[in-house]
Amino acid sequence: MRCPFCHSTNSRVSDTRPIENGESTKRRRLCPECGERFTTFERIQLHIKYVKKSSGVFEEFDRDKLRQSVMVALRKRPVKLDQIEQLVSTVINDLHKLGEKEINSSTIGEYIMKALVGLDIVAYIRFSSVYKDFQNADDFESFIGQLRPNQDQLG
C-alpha cells in the first residue's frame, strides 16, 4: 500500500480489525520511510453494477451515494457512525442477495426505508418525504397518520 504522505510503497500493517459485522476490514498502517500512520479499508466488491433511475437512465451503483442519502436523512439525529455504516452494509447485502446486476432506484429506496424505520423514525420520515415526493403538509400528515397505528411496532 502506498503511503499517502511520502508515496513510499513499503508501508506495513500494525493492526487489523473486522468492521461492519465482518463485511469489511480496517487496517492501521505505518510508513517506515516517513513514520506517518494511516488507515485503509477493504470491502468486498459486489455484483451490483447499475442503478436504473425512474427516468430510465442507468448510472453506476455508488455505495457512497447511498451512504450520503442515508446521512442526509440522519443529519443531527442521535445515531452513531458505526450504526450508519452497518445500515448501509445491510442494505447493500440485501440488494446483493437479489442477484441482479441492475437494480431500480425505487428498490434501493424501499430497502433504505425498511432499514431506517428500525433505526430512527424521524430519519425514516425525512427519507420517505423525498423518496415519495411529498408536495405539501397534507402528504406528511397522511404519512404520519399511517405510522401512528403501527407506532408500537416501530420502536
Side-chain angles (χ1 to χ4, degrees):
M1 174 59 61
R2 184 179 301 271
C3 173
F5 303 102
C6 72
H7 305 291
S8 169
T9 58
N10 295 326
S11 68
R12 68 177 180 83
V13 175
S14 61
D15 184 39
T16 300
R17 294 173 192 246
I19 58 173
E20 300 173 6
N21 283 347
E23 299 293 327
S24 299
T25 302
K26 177 180 177 180
R27 298 190 194 280
R28 286 292 295 152
R29 296 179 178 267
L30 173 66
C31 176
E33 302 292 325
C34 67
E36 292 289 339
R37 295 178 186 272
F38 59 99
T39 303
T40 60
F41 298 90
E42 294 177 11
R43 179 175 286 122
I44 297 169
Q45 187 170 359
L46 301 175
H47 297 292
I48 304 166
K49 298 286 186 194
Y50 297 102
V51 175
K52 183 177 182 183
K53 307 296 268 181
S54 58
S55 65
V57 173
F58 285 89
E59 67 179 47
E60 282 190 49
F61 179 81
D62 184 351
R63 177 190 181 92
D64 292 332
K65 189 172 180 180
L66 187 150
R67 183 181 181 276
Q68 190 58 38
S69 65
V70 170
M71 292 287 288
V72 167
L74 286 163
R75 186 169 180 256
K76 296 187 177 183
R77 298 299 303 152
V79 176
K80 295 177 182 171
L81 192 55
D82 62 332
Q83 291 175 290
I84 295 169
E85 292 300 331
Q86 180 59 47
L87 181 142
V88 170
S89 292
T90 298
V91 169
I92 291 173
N93 287 336
D94 288 348
L95 292 171
H96 178 67
K97 289 175 187 173
L98 297 174
E100 303 291 328
K101 290 188 180 195
E102 299 171 355
I103 296 186
N104 290 326
S105 60
S106 60
T107 302
I108 295 171
E110 292 293 332
Y111 276 85
I112 292 172
M113 286 175 47
K114 181 180 166 187
L116 280 174
V117 74
L119 181 64
D120 186 281
I121 195 67
V122 171
Y124 170 70
I125 293 168
R126 285 178 181 170
F127 186 88
S128 299
S129 71
V130 174
Y131 174 72
K132 294 180 179 279
D133 194 27
F134 291 2
Q135 296 297 310
N136 54 47
D138 291 339
D139 294 338
F140 280 94
E141 285 180 19
S142 173
F143 186 76
I144 291 170
Q146 293 171 10
L147 291 177
R148 285 203 171 109
N150 301 322
Q151 201 166 19
D152 293 335
Q153 299 169 2
L154 297 176

PDB file of all heavy atoms in Angstrom, residues 115-136:
ATOM      1  N   ALA A 115     -34.803  -0.243   6.380  1.00  0.00           N
ATOM      2  CA  ALA A 115     -33.729  -0.207   7.376  1.00  0.00           C
ATOM      3  C   ALA A 115     -33.862   0.994   8.308  1.00  0.00           C
ATOM      4  O   ALA A 115     -33.627   0.892   9.511  1.00  0.00           O
ATOM      5  CB  ALA A 115     -32.369  -0.186   6.680  1.00  0.00           C
ATOM      6  N   LEU A 116     -34.254   2.151   7.769  1.00  0.00           N
ATOM      7  CA  LEU A 116     -34.360   3.362   8.586  1.00  0.00           C
ATOM      8  C   LEU A 116     -35.490   3.295   9.605  1.00  0.00           C
ATOM      9  O   LEU A 116     -35.361   3.826  10.703  1.00  0.00           O
ATOM     10  CB  LEU A 116     -34.565   4.600   7.702  1.00  0.00           C
ATOM     11  CG  LEU A 116     -33.335   5.178   7.044  1.00  0.00           C
ATOM     12  CD1 LEU A 116     -33.740   6.301   6.083  1.00  0.00           C
ATOM     13  CD2 LEU A 116     -32.348   5.694   8.077  1.00  0.00           C
ATOM     14  N   VAL A 117     -36.574   2.644   9.272  1.00  0.00           N
ATOM     15  CA  VAL A 117     -37.717   2.613  10.181  1.00  0.00           C
ATOM     16  C   VAL A 117     -37.341   1.951  11.504  1.00  0.00           C
ATOM     17  O   VAL A 117     -37.846   2.318  12.561  1.00  0.00           O
ATOM     18  CB  VAL A 117     -38.963   1.946   9.540  1.00  0.00           C
ATOM     19  CG1 VAL A 117     -38.810   0.437   9.445  1.00  0.00           C
ATOM     20  CG2 VAL A 117     -40.232   2.308  10.291  1.00  0.00           C
ATOM     21  N   GLY A 118     -36.424   1.014  11.461  1.00  0.00           N
ATOM     22  CA  GLY A 118     -35.983   0.350  12.681  1.00  0.00           C
ATOM     23  C   GLY A 118     -34.880   1.090  13.415  1.00  0.00           C
ATOM     24  O   GLY A 118     -34.581   0.776  14.560  1.00  0.00           O
ATOM     25  N   LEU A 119     -34.275   2.075  12.761  1.00  0.00           N
ATOM     26  CA  LEU A 119     -33.154   2.793  13.366  1.00  0.00           C
ATOM     27  C   LEU A 119     -33.570   4.135  13.957  1.00  0.00           C
ATOM     28  O   LEU A 119     -33.233   4.445  15.098  1.00  0.00           O
ATOM     29  CB  LEU A 119     -32.047   3.013  12.324  1.00  0.00           C
ATOM     30  CG  LEU A 119     -30.799   3.723  12.810  1.00  0.00           C
ATOM     31  CD1 LEU A 119     -30.077   2.890  13.863  1.00  0.00           C
ATOM     32  CD2 LEU A 119     -29.874   4.003  11.630  1.00  0.00           C
ATOM     33  N   ASP A 120     -34.312   4.936  13.168  1.00  0.00           N
ATOM     34  CA  ASP A 120     -34.685   6.269  13.619  1.00  0.00           C
ATOM     35  C   ASP A 120     -35.919   6.727  12.839  1.00  0.00           C
ATOM     36  O   ASP A 120     -35.857   6.916  11.623  1.00  0.00           O
ATOM     37  CB  ASP A 120     -33.523   7.252  13.392  1.00  0.00           C
ATOM     38  CG  ASP A 120     -33.793   8.615  13.975  1.00  0.00           C
ATOM     39  OD1 ASP A 120     -34.531   9.399  13.342  1.00  0.00           O
ATOM     40  OD2 ASP A 120     -33.266   8.891  15.059  1.00  0.00           O
ATOM     41  N   ILE A 121     -37.024   6.888  13.550  1.00  0.00           N
ATOM     42  CA  ILE A 121     -38.294   7.193  12.895  1.00  0.00           C
ATOM     43  C   ILE A 121     -38.289   8.564  12.222  1.00  0.00           C
ATOM     44  O   ILE A 121     -38.884   8.754  11.163  1.00  0.00           O
ATOM     45  CB  ILE A 121     -39.499   7.038  13.876  1.00  0.00           C
ATOM     46  CG1 ILE A 121     -40.828   7.001  13.129  1.00  0.00           C
ATOM     47  CG2 ILE A 121     -39.494   8.120  14.922  1.00  0.00           C
ATOM     48  CD1 ILE A 121     -41.000   5.784  12.267  1.00  0.00           C
ATOM     49  N   VAL A 122     -37.579   9.533  12.798  1.00  0.00           N
ATOM     50  CA  VAL A 122     -37.505  10.868  12.181  1.00  0.00           C
ATOM     51  C   VAL A 122     -36.757  10.784  10.852  1.00  0.00           C
ATOM     52  O   VAL A 122     -37.178  11.354   9.840  1.00  0.00           O
ATOM     53  CB  VAL A 122     -36.860  11.892  13.132  1.00  0.00           C
ATOM     54  CG1 VAL A 122     -36.581  13.207  12.425  1.00  0.00           C
ATOM     55  CG2 VAL A 122     -37.741  12.118  14.352  1.00  0.00           C
ATOM     56  N   ALA A 123     -35.648  10.057  10.841  1.00  0.00           N
ATOM     57  CA  ALA A 123     -34.892   9.870   9.599  1.00  0.00           C
ATOM     58  C   ALA A 123     -35.732   9.120   8.567  1.00  0.00           C
ATOM     59  O   ALA A 123     -35.679   9.414   7.370  1.00  0.00           O
ATOM     60  CB  ALA A 123     -33.591   9.125   9.872  1.00  0.00           C
ATOM     61  N   TYR A 124     -36.507   8.166   9.037  1.00  0.00           N
ATOM     62  CA  TYR A 124     -37.402   7.424   8.143  1.00  0.00           C
ATOM     63  C   TYR A 124     -38.400   8.365   7.485  1.00  0.00           C
ATOM     64  O   TYR A 124     -38.611   8.309   6.268  1.00  0.00           O
ATOM     65  CB  TYR A 124     -38.119   6.340   8.947  1.00  0.00           C
ATOM     66  CG  TYR A 124     -39.246   5.648   8.220  1.00  0.00           C
ATOM     67  CD1 TYR A 124     -38.998   4.786   7.162  1.00  0.00           C
ATOM     68  CD2 TYR A 124     -40.570   5.847   8.603  1.00  0.00           C
ATOM     69  CE1 TYR A 124     -40.025   4.142   6.504  1.00  0.00           C
ATOM     70  CE2 TYR A 124     -41.606   5.202   7.952  1.00  0.00           C
ATOM     71  CZ  TYR A 124     -41.334   4.349   6.902  1.00  0.00           C
ATOM     72  OH  TYR A 124     -42.358   3.713   6.251  1.00  0.00           O
ATOM     73  N   ILE A 125     -38.973   9.267   8.259  1.00  0.00           N
ATOM     74  CA  ILE A 125     -39.942  10.224   7.699  1.00  0.00           C
ATOM     75  C   ILE A 125     -39.240  11.177   6.738  1.00  0.00           C
ATOM     76  O   ILE A 125     -39.761  11.477   5.657  1.00  0.00           O
ATOM     77  CB  ILE A 125     -40.673  10.975   8.829  1.00  0.00           C
ATOM     78  CG1 ILE A 125     -41.570  10.003   9.604  1.00  0.00           C
ATOM     79  CG2 ILE A 125     -41.493  12.141   8.275  1.00  0.00           C
ATOM     80  CD1 ILE A 125     -42.126  10.551  10.907  1.00  0.00           C
ATOM     81  N   ARG A 126     -38.067  11.661   7.120  1.00  0.00           N
ATOM     82  CA  ARG A 126     -37.312  12.557   6.231  1.00  0.00           C
ATOM     83  C   ARG A 126     -37.020  11.888   4.896  1.00  0.00           C
ATOM     84  O   ARG A 126     -37.245  12.457   3.828  1.00  0.00           O
ATOM     85  CB  ARG A 126     -35.978  12.945   6.875  1.00  0.00           C
ATOM     86  CG  ARG A 126     -36.067  13.938   7.982  1.00  0.00           C
ATOM     87  CD  ARG A 126     -34.671  14.172   8.533  1.00  0.00           C
ATOM     88  NE  ARG A 126     -34.672  15.120   9.627  1.00  0.00           N
ATOM     89  CZ  ARG A 126     -33.622  15.341  10.393  1.00  0.00           C
ATOM     90  NH1 ARG A 126     -32.493  14.667  10.194  1.00  0.00           N
ATOM     91  NH2 ARG A 126     -33.678  16.227  11.361  1.00  0.00           N
ATOM     92  N   PHE A 127     -36.472  10.676   4.958  1.00  0.00           N
ATOM     93  CA  PHE A 127     -36.127   9.964   3.731  1.00  0.00           C
ATOM     94  C   PHE A 127     -37.377   9.698   2.904  1.00  0.00           C
ATOM     95  O   PHE A 127     -37.380   9.897   1.688  1.00  0.00           O
ATOM     96  CB  PHE A 127     -35.408   8.654   4.049  1.00  0.00           C
ATOM     97  CG  PHE A 127     -34.905   7.951   2.818  1.00  0.00           C
ATOM     98  CD1 PHE A 127     -33.656   8.253   2.321  1.00  0.00           C
ATOM     99  CD2 PHE A 127     -35.677   7.001   2.169  1.00  0.00           C
ATOM    100  CE1 PHE A 127     -33.180   7.623   1.174  1.00  0.00           C
ATOM    101  CE2 PHE A 127     -35.219   6.372   1.030  1.00  0.00           C
ATOM    102  CZ  PHE A 127     -33.965   6.678   0.526  1.00  0.00           C
ATOM    103  N   SER A 128     -38.437   9.272   3.569  1.00  0.00           N
ATOM    104  CA  SER A 128     -39.685   8.971   2.874  1.00  0.00           C
ATOM    105  C   SER A 128     -40.258  10.192   2.176  1.00  0.00           C
ATOM    106  O   SER A 128     -40.812  10.089   1.083  1.00  0.00           O
ATOM    107  CB  SER A 128     -40.716   8.410   3.855  1.00  0.00           C
ATOM    108  OG  SER A 128     -40.244   7.228   4.428  1.00  0.00           O
ATOM    109  N   SER A 129     -40.117  11.354   2.807  1.00  0.00           N
ATOM    110  CA  SER A 129     -40.676  12.581   2.214  1.00  0.00           C
ATOM    111  C   SER A 129     -40.009  12.906   0.886  1.00  0.00           C
ATOM    112  O   SER A 129     -40.657  13.412  -0.031  1.00  0.00           O
ATOM    113  CB  SER A 129     -40.550  13.758   3.179  1.00  0.00           C
ATOM    114  OG  SER A 129     -39.216  14.183   3.316  1.00  0.00           O
ATOM    115  N   VAL A 130     -38.733  12.598   0.763  1.00  0.00           N
ATOM    116  CA  VAL A 130     -38.037  12.829  -0.506  1.00  0.00           C
ATOM    117  C   VAL A 130     -38.338  11.687  -1.471  1.00  0.00           C
ATOM    118  O   VAL A 130     -38.689  11.904  -2.631  1.00  0.00           O
ATOM    119  CB  VAL A 130     -36.513  12.962  -0.279  1.00  0.00           C
ATOM    120  CG1 VAL A 130     -35.771  13.047  -1.596  1.00  0.00           C
ATOM    121  CG2 VAL A 130     -36.220  14.173   0.591  1.00  0.00           C
ATOM    122  N   TYR A 131     -38.221  10.466  -0.963  1.00  0.00           N
ATOM    123  CA  TYR A 131     -38.420   9.288  -1.803  1.00  0.00           C
ATOM    124  C   TYR A 131     -39.829   9.247  -2.400  1.00  0.00           C
ATOM    125  O   TYR A 131     -40.013   8.941  -3.564  1.00  0.00           O
ATOM    126  CB  TYR A 131     -38.146   8.027  -0.979  1.00  0.00           C
ATOM    127  CG  TYR A 131     -38.455   6.749  -1.702  1.00  0.00           C
ATOM    128  CD1 TYR A 131     -37.649   6.304  -2.730  1.00  0.00           C
ATOM    129  CD2 TYR A 131     -39.565   5.989  -1.353  1.00  0.00           C
ATOM    130  CE1 TYR A 131     -37.932   5.135  -3.409  1.00  0.00           C
ATOM    131  CE2 TYR A 131     -39.855   4.815  -2.019  1.00  0.00           C
ATOM    132  CZ  TYR A 131     -39.038   4.397  -3.043  1.00  0.00           C
ATOM    133  OH  TYR A 131     -39.328   3.244  -3.718  1.00  0.00           O
ATOM    134  N   LYS A 132     -40.816   9.582  -1.599  1.00  0.00           N
ATOM    135  CA  LYS A 132     -42.211   9.541  -2.046  1.00  0.00           C
ATOM    136  C   LYS A 132     -42.686  10.878  -2.604  1.00  0.00           C
ATOM    137  O   LYS A 132     -43.852  11.035  -2.937  1.00  0.00           O
ATOM    138  CB  LYS A 132     -43.119   9.091  -0.902  1.00  0.00           C
ATOM    139  CG  LYS A 132     -42.856   7.651  -0.481  1.00  0.00           C
ATOM    140  CD  LYS A 132     -43.766   7.234   0.654  1.00  0.00           C
ATOM    141  CE  LYS A 132     -43.539   5.815   1.057  1.00  0.00           C
ATOM    142  NZ  LYS A 132     -44.182   4.832   0.218  1.00  0.00           N
ATOM    143  N   ASP A 133     -41.753  11.851  -2.659  1.00  0.00           N
ATOM    144  CA  ASP A 133     -42.011  13.144  -3.280  1.00  0.00           C
ATOM    145  C   ASP A 133     -43.203  13.886  -2.653  1.00  0.00           C
ATOM    146  O   ASP A 133     -44.136  14.291  -3.340  1.00  0.00           O
ATOM    147  CB  ASP A 133     -42.225  12.965  -4.786  1.00  0.00           C
ATOM    148  CG  ASP A 133     -42.156  14.282  -5.533  1.00  0.00           C
ATOM    149  OD1 ASP A 133     -41.472  15.212  -5.065  1.00  0.00           O
ATOM    150  OD2 ASP A 133     -42.815  14.388  -6.601  1.00  0.00           O
ATOM    151  N   PHE A 134     -43.148  14.049  -1.318  1.00  0.00           N
ATOM    152  CA  PHE A 134     -44.194  14.803  -0.637  1.00  0.00           C
ATOM    153  C   PHE A 134     -44.235  16.218  -1.209  1.00  0.00           C
ATOM    154  O   PHE A 134     -43.193  16.854  -1.389  1.00  0.00           O
ATOM    155  CB  PHE A 134     -43.930  14.881   0.871  1.00  0.00           C
ATOM    156  CG  PHE A 134     -44.078  13.574   1.609  1.00  0.00           C
ATOM    157  CD1 PHE A 134     -44.384  12.393   0.971  1.00  0.00           C
ATOM    158  CD2 PHE A 134     -43.896  13.545   2.975  1.00  0.00           C
ATOM    159  CE1 PHE A 134     -44.508  11.203   1.666  1.00  0.00           C
ATOM    160  CE2 PHE A 134     -44.015  12.356   3.685  1.00  0.00           C
ATOM    161  CZ  PHE A 134     -44.322  11.184   3.020  1.00  0.00           C
ATOM    162  N   GLN A 135     -45.442  16.728  -1.445  1.00  0.00           N
ATOM    163  CA  GLN A 135     -45.597  18.046  -2.050  1.00  0.00           C
ATOM    164  C   GLN A 135     -46.069  19.112  -1.075  1.00  0.00           C
ATOM    165  O   GLN A 135     -45.859  20.295  -1.306  1.00  0.00           O
ATOM    166  CB  GLN A 135     -46.581  17.969  -3.229  1.00  0.00           C
ATOM    167  CG  GLN A 135     -46.088  17.108  -4.369  1.00  0.00           C
ATOM    168  CD  GLN A 135     -44.827  17.652  -5.005  1.00  0.00           C
ATOM    169  OE1 GLN A 135     -44.751  18.820  -5.345  1.00  0.00           O
ATOM    170  NE2 GLN A 135     -43.811  16.806  -5.133  1.00  0.00           N
ATOM    171  N   ASN A 136     -46.724  18.677   0.018  1.00  0.00           N
ATOM    172  CA  ASN A 136     -47.246  19.663   0.967  1.00  0.00           C
ATOM    173  C   ASN A 136     -47.451  19.003   2.338  1.00  0.00           C
ATOM    174  O   ASN A 136     -47.197  17.811   2.517  1.00  0.00           O
ATOM    175  CB  ASN A 136     -48.564  20.267   0.443  1.00  0.00           C
ATOM    176  CG  ASN A 136     -49.588  19.208   0.101  1.00  0.00           C
ATOM    177  OD1 ASN A 136     -49.816  18.287   0.880  1.00  0.00           O
ATOM    178  ND2 ASN A 136     -50.196  19.316  -1.069  1.00  0.00           N
TER     179      ASN A 136
END
